[in-house]
Amino acid sequence: MQWLGVLARLVVGTVWVAAGALKIPDPTESVRAVRNYRILPEAVVPLVGHSLPVLEVLIGVCLLVGLLVRANAVVSCVLLLAFIAGIASAWARGLSIECGCFGGGAGTLEDYASKYPWEIARDVGLLLASGWLVLRPRSPWALDNRLFPVDD
């Protein structure tokens, strides 16, 4: 079962690094993607749009190397729940916007809402993997094992 933790760390960490790294080069597009959901007050949209990609990369790198796994998995769960709620909200309100999950998010797209179930399913899968890491953060090949050894 420990190897399931390694797999979860690698999958979730890679997704977070990819998602953040694709958004960092164009912060304006990231801000636009956050704005398109029409959920947050405009005063916080730029802060979220600029900081979210950096946070995603940091979480991803920490999970990949196994550093503070439980804490990063908790943050991962919180973000994924927020993303699932955001996509579900856009869907329920009839918005047809690109999610902006891996960059993009340029605005309204014809029939993009048909992709929402797949995006929610992807995020639920990542949420389950992150939840596993919250419950069982110890796995082989993790820095936590070196920094915080546990006597067996």
Side-chain angles (χ1 to χ4, degrees), residues 79-89 119-120 123-124 127:
L79 287 176
L80 287 163
L81 286 170
F83 294 164
I84 291 166
I87 294 167
S89 171
E119 290 174 350
I120 290 172
D123 288 352
V124 167
L127 177 62

Side-chain angles (χ1 to χ4, degrees), residues 37-122:
Y37 280 92
R38 299 185 219 157
I39 294 173
L40 298 174
E42 183 57 34
V44 299
V45 166
L47 175 65
V48 172
H50 285 97
S51 60
L52 188 59
V54 175
L55 179 61
E56 290 171 338
V57 170
L58 287 174
I59 292 168
V61 168
C62 285
L63 289 175
L64 287 172
V65 300
L67 180 61
L68 302 172
V69 172
R70 180 173 279 145
N72 283 291
V74 167
V75 175
S76 177
C77 286
V78 170
L79 287 176
L80 287 163
L81 286 170
F83 294 164
I84 291 166
I87 294 167
S89 171
W91 193 10
R93 291 179 291 138
L95 300 178
S96 187
I97 57 174
E98 186 178 1
C99 79
C101 305
F102 296 92
T108 304
L109 299 172
E110 181 100 11
D111 198 36
Y112 196 84
S114 65
K115 296 182 180 183
Y116 291 160
W118 297 109
E119 290 174 350
I120 290 172
R122 176 202 59 220

